[in-house]
Structures are given as structure tokens and as C-alpha cells.
Amino acid sequence: MTEFLQTTFMEWGLPEWLAIGLTILLQIALILGPLFAAVAYLTLAERKVIGYMQVRIGPNRVGPRGLLQPIADALKLMFKEIIIPTGADKKLFLIAPVLAMAPSLAAWAALPVADGWVLADINAGLLYVLAITSMGVYGVIIAGWASNSKYAFLGAMRSAAQIVSYEIAMGFALVGVLMAAGSLNLGQIVTSQQGEYGLFSWFWLPLLPLFVIYFVSGVAETNRAPFDVAEGESEIVAGFHVEYSGMAFAVFFLGEYANMILISALAALLFLGGWLSPFQGWTDTWLGQSSIIWMLLKTSFFLFLYLWFRATFPRYRYDQIMRLGWKVFIPITIVWIVVVGGLVMGEVGPWFAVA
């Protein structure tokens, strides 16, 4: 696709450097456009799903069945005043939301959504995603400190400690995927899950403990319920973004939901075969064909789990969250990495025969 766009632009008489720049900009727009739309309607889906789980209707006034509610919310936030507290550090206060959101968007550059559909097909794609997403914590810390509020500062410290703690468990879980696939390239990780057994050829089965730990750590990384102590309304009002309003708050909101979609898409790629069909090798019909539809369905499944968790589980105490991350998840991941190492060395089962 990249070569086709560059060739088209150059046929129009544009110089090569401009053709390359326009190609990259167009590809970025093709990624960010659907992503922003998904973020907007994920907020509506959350309110609808939780509403139905609590025997309510949810938003149903703006547009047919409430479908225009996200647009109304976005317009409301765009026209709200951004109030900067008197004692706040103005520059850092305004930079923090961008620092929190940018990594969650930049990570999509290396994420393939279908075979060959990727902006930057880099060999160290998994390492790039881990490195870039780990920088989001700086936005949270700066927001809490720059607000000059004790509630914001407490929320930022909680959030930073939580993100750093669960990043270790998540990193170890992904080491297991790296060992099983024998590659850091996200496209090759998906390709290594192809097999005649369909969904039983995917990594979720041999790496089941790592799969569960990865997704639960992802929920904790994004500060979502039941790990949302950084935004504990009953204790610290609203956490690190308590002083934010208008579009500054909307950018934090956007970053959180973009991170949810990113974690879900990564879970689909690394453990559930990405765009591969679960019926591959079982049938020659369209159900057995790999496509972006399967990728979207798997990502949507994980996003539904996010919403289900919020409607179901009570919030953890902070000491329980730290204990789970350090004393349960990290030891389990280390043990399972040793197990996976043995399976890879012995080429046990269909998953590790190629590695």
C-alpha cells in the first residue's frame, strides 16, 4: 500500500520527498481517524453496556437510540473553559495531557490490523510498543505535580506506582510470547500462530497463565476498575486530573480509552491469532478465511471484558493491588517463562515446533 501511494503521488508530478511525506501523513490519518471514532463510541458502548447490566437504558436522547451522544459530549468539552489553578505550573499543566495521550497513539504505528496492514513493519515491534507505552506514566506524574493539589499529587503517585508495578508483570508475560514465536515482529508473531488446529494453534492455550496475567495487568495499567484507585472518588476526588477541565480533561480521557483499545488489540495479536480465523484448517468457507473482521471481533471481545469488569467488581484496596502485582503475578510469570523455555528447547507440541 505504501509503494502504491508513493507511486501515485509521484505520477501526479510531486517530488519524491513530498510524495513520501504525504504517504506517511495519509497512513497516519487512516490509523487515527478510525481510532478516534472507536474511542468516541467506546464511551457510548460503556454507558450502554453498564446500563443494561444494571437494568437501565443508558444514553437515549441525543440522536436515534443515543448514537450521537459521543459527538454531543465532544462538542461540550471543546467549548468548555480550561481553568488553570492559580498555583499551578502553567506550562507543565498543559503539556501533561499530551504526554499522557501521545504514547498510546504512537504505539499504533507498529501494530498490524491485518496481513500487511501496518504503518511501520519494524522487526522489534513488540519492544517498540513496550518502550513507547511506558512513557505515558510521565504525563500522569507531571499532571499530579503541576496541578499544585494534594489530591492530584496523591492520585499521581498511586497511578505511577501501579503502572510501574504491573508493567513488570506485563513485560514478563510478553517475554513468553517472544520465546514461543521466536520473533519481536508483531506480524510474524501472528503468522507463527497459524496451524491446522485453528484456535487451538494460538498462544492462549500454552501460555494461558501469561495470557490472563497480561490482560489483568493491562486493566491495571490503564487505571480501570477494579484497579482505579488512582481515581478513587470516595478518597481523592478524581485523582491526578482533578484540576483539569475542557479539552485538557478530554485529552486525558482520550488517552485512557485509546490505551484500552491498544491493550485489547495487543492481546488479540499476541495470544488470539490477530486476524487469523478460529476455524482455519477446519472449513474452506468464508469462516475459515483470515481477515481484519476477526481482528476487530477479538479486540471488541477484550473491550467488552473491560466494561464487564467495571460493572461487576468492587474497587481493590491499594495494598491488595500492590500485593497482587509483586507477590502473585511476577512469580507466576517467572515460573511460566522457565516452563516455556523447556517446551521450546524440547520442541514440545505444535506451538513450539517451529521456534
Side-chain angles (χ1 to χ4, degrees):
M1 188 180 195
T2 303
E3 293 179 3
F4 170 75
L5 290 172
Q6 285 183 21
T7 306
T8 305
F9 286 133
M10 290 176 73
E11 285 175 354
W12 291 354
L14 298 176
E16 186 178 356
W17 65 269
L18 185 56
I20 293 172
L22 286 174
T23 300
I24 294 171
L25 287 175
L26 184 58
Q27 289 176 317
I28 291 171
L30 288 173
I31 293 172
L32 294 186
L35 181 61
F36 286 157
V39 166
Y41 279 90
L42 181 57
T43 62
L44 177 64
E46 178 173 30
R47 295 167 72 180
K48 282 284 190 182
V49 167
I50 293 175
Y52 284 124
M53 286 183 175
Q54 297 173 349
V55 199
R56 297 183 289 107
I57 296 175
N60 65 340
R61 288 287 185 269
V62 186
R65 295 182 177 272
L67 288 176
L68 298 180
Q69 185 66 51
I71 297 171
D73 291 339
L75 289 173
K76 179 191 72 172
L77 288 169
M78 283 172 64
F79 288 103
K80 270 194 168 184
E81 181 185 1
I82 298 177
I83 300 170
I84 301 176
T86 306
D89 186 316
K90 185 176 180 180
K91 290 180 181 177
L92 292 179
F93 186 83
L94 295 175
I95 289 172
V98 179
L99 290 177
M101 179 194 69
S104 61
L105 302 182
W108 281 91
L111 248 71
V113 292
D115 192 12
W117 290 29
V118 59
L119 177 61
D121 189 20
I122 52 180
N123 287 329
L126 186 57
L127 185 62
Y128 165 79
V129 171
L130 277 174
I132 202 76
T133 52
S134 66
M135 296 184 68
V137 69
Y138 293 109
V140 172
I141 294 172
I142 290 172
W145 185 84
S147 296
N148 194 32
S149 164
K150 58 184 177 183
Y151 298 117
F153 188 70
L154 282 172
M157 291 300 99
R158 282 186 180 187
S159 181
Q162 183 174 314
I163 289 172
V164 170
S165 299
Y166 281 86
E167 217 162 56
I168 300 170
M170 181 184 285
F172 278 144
L174 297 185
V175 167
V177 176
L178 163 63
M179 293 169 66
S183 173
L184 277 167
N185 184 289
L186 291 167
Q188 290 177 16
I189 289 173
V190 173
T191 305
S192 66
Q193 298 179 65
Q194 284 181 324
E196 58 183 320
Y197 303 104
L199 62 92
F200 296 106
S201 299
W202 301 342
F203 288 154
W204 69 270
L205 190 56
L207 305 179
L208 186 59
L210 301 183
F211 175 35
V212 173
I213 287 172
Y214 166 80
F215 187 67
V216 176
S217 297
V219 176
E221 280 263 301
T222 48
N223 289 319
R224 293 284 302 181
F227 301 100
D228 58 338
V229 292
E231 304 169 14
E233 296 90 348
S234 57
E235 309 155 37
I236 50 175
V237 191
F240 58 90
H241 51 59
V242 65
E243 302 293 348
Y244 284 86
S245 60
M247 278 308 294
F249 171 75
V251 171
F252 272 122
F253 206 64
L254 177 67
E256 179 179 317
Y257 281 81
N259 269 323
M260 288 168 58
I261 299 172
L262 177 66
I263 294 292
S264 301
L266 273 172
L269 286 169
L270 301 175
F271 295 98
L272 290 189
W275 55 85
L276 300 180
S277 167
F279 309 108
Q280 194 172 35
W282 297 358
T283 175
D284 294 328
T285 64
W286 62 271
L287 285 172
Q289 301 299 316
S290 300
S291 72
I292 191 174
I293 303 297
W294 291 115
M295 179 68 184
L296 294 175
L297 287 173
K298 293 168 188 175
T299 304
S300 300
F301 166 71
F302 287 112
L303 289 172
F304 174 74
L305 291 182
Y306 265 104
L307 311 185
W308 192 2
F309 292 167
R310 179 173 177 182
T312 306
F313 295 113
R315 182 181 296 133
Y316 274 100
R317 286 201 322 264
Y318 192 70
D319 63 302
Q320 292 173 327
I321 291 176
M322 290 294 107
R323 187 185 307 117
L324 181 68
W326 288 101
K327 294 186 177 180
V328 179
F329 281 2
I330 292 177
I332 291 175
T333 52
I334 292 172
V335 169
W336 208 256
I337 284 172
V338 175
V339 172
V340 172
L343 295 175
V344 171
M345 292 293 289
E347 295 188 351
V348 178
W351 308 280
F352 310 113
V354 179

